[in-house]
Amino acid sequence: MKKTLFKFVFTGLAALAIAAGLSSCNKAGSGSKNARTIIVGTGTAYNPYCYLDGDGNLVGYEKDVLDAIDELLPQYTFKYETFDFSNILLALSGGKVDIGAHQYEESEERRKNYLFSEETYNSFITHIVVLKDRTDINSFDDLIGKTVHLSVGDNSAATILKYNEGAAPDRQIKTFMAKSLQSEQLVAGLKNHQFDATFMPLLDLDKDNREYGDILKAVGEPLNSSFSYFVFRKGDTELQQAIDGALGQLKESGRLSEIAVKDLGRDTTKGE
């Protein structure tokens, strides 16, 4: 009787263990076999959004938001490829990446060529920034005849170039057009008078002042007020809608705001 009962219990436990093992294997196998690998194109020199830490690992707000999205979407596995800012959308067009992630603002030209997320994940309010010892630049009009730094593809560049198109020759703003510069290069350019002003959010201004000795200030009204979006190839609506759904969940739960406070020092998800 005891042997029979022991045998029954042992056999039952063994069967449960095997069933659990098969369930676990099937779950893992389903994810590995059926999950679509999503290649995210981002940058490495835009602290605190996307940059490399001391060990060469990709970190920052951009990465943390995408990792949180990835956790909510078992049908996808995110992998990351890094590029210069100016090459990310080229890689997206060429099919090398599936998502462009570098604090992209919308513009008419970009909307023609790419699909944008409907949900935003960061505010991007851009201010005129100059050295604190400058007393001659206090508003947009004071930029006339001066030289400003512009990043290729940035909304600030679009705003200044559009202004120049409609301005008389004696009302032009001179431009120093470059790829997205690191903070050290921006500060050096202002100090060396390569350009008189640049444009950045208050978050970047605070970071650069902490790093370079409180030498910068924002002047006048904001140049642009917009939000950041993830960018996809035209027609990839399934991926876009999945990302939007996950972003909506992160907003509703408050987790997106928590990530912003952790990485950026303030909740910039709804506007600065």
Side-chain angles (χ1 to χ4, degrees), residues 34-91:
N34 299 328
R36 174 184 169 190
T37 298
I38 301 299
I39 307 299
V40 179
T42 189
T44 61
Y46 194 15
N47 187 345
Y49 300 103
C50 44
Y51 63 103
L52 301 179
D53 65 12
D55 297 321
N57 299 312
L58 183 64
V59 295
Y61 180 65
E62 205 85 51
K63 174 74 161 46
D64 285 347
V65 171
L66 284 161
D67 284 348
I69 291 172
D70 195 12
E71 290 176 10
L72 296 174
L73 300 176
Q75 68 270 39
Y76 300 126
T77 298
F78 287 6
K79 294 186 178 180
Y80 298 84
E81 295 287 344
T82 58
F83 303 83
D84 287 339
F85 173 73
S86 59
N87 291 328
I88 295 173
L89 293 185
L90 293 176

Side-chain angles (χ1 to χ4, degrees), residues 20 27 47 50 68 74 87-88 128 131 161 170 176 185 189 219-220 245:
K27 186 176 180 181
N47 187 345
C50 44
N87 291 328
I88 295 173
I128 303 167
L131 292 174
L161 295 177
D170 62 342
F176 180 93
Q185 296 169 306
V219 298

Side-chain angles (χ1 to χ4, degrees), residues 76-111:
Y76 300 126
T77 298
F78 287 6
K79 294 186 178 180
Y80 298 84
E81 295 287 344
T82 58
F83 303 83
D84 287 339
F85 173 73
S86 59
N87 291 328
I88 295 173
L89 293 185
L90 293 176
L92 183 62
S93 297
K96 295 180 179 179
V97 303
D98 302 295
I99 302 175
H102 201 293
Q103 296 297 301
Y104 283 108
E105 301 165 271
E106 64 177 338
S107 67
E108 184 177 347
E109 187 63 27
R110 285 175 180 168
R111 286 280 185 185

